[in-house]
Amino acid sequence: MHPTPYPVWRAPTGAAVITMPGQIGDADCGQVHAALMRAVQSGATVIVADLTGTRSCSYSAAETLVSAQARAAGAGARVKVAATAGKALLIGQVAGA
């Protein structure tokens, strides 16, 4: 489990960005979801889950991204996934980014 909540920062474009860790396991899902929801509550209309440094992501974490995307859409926001090759890219495809 990540020791502190994932920080949400604003890009110059106004998008809220959450940098994800190198590995996202089942135990991290609650904190990942909370960070994404903090970004939605901040009023951001675009939220970026930055998985460019993520090497592995559990199935539950992928479900968390999809769930957060659905909740964000209900609030008028979009969750995008920034990813590179490998498993993180697959997560982006699953999440619809």
Side-chain angles (χ1 to χ4, degrees), residues 6 20-34 36-37 49-51 54-70 79-81 87-88 90-96:
Y6 303 109
M20 299 295 162
Q23 295 183 21
I24 307 172
D26 295 348
D28 301 305
C29 292
Q31 290 182 345
V32 167
H33 191 267
L36 292 165
M37 292 302 98
D50 181 0
L51 280 82
T54 302
R55 295 176 309 282
S56 67
C57 189
S58 72
Y59 182 80
S60 295
E63 286 182 322
T64 297
L65 290 170
V66 172
S67 171
Q69 180 178 1
V79 174
K80 295 185 173 195
V81 176
K87 292 180 183 179
L90 177 61
I91 298 306
Q93 293 169 348
V94 169

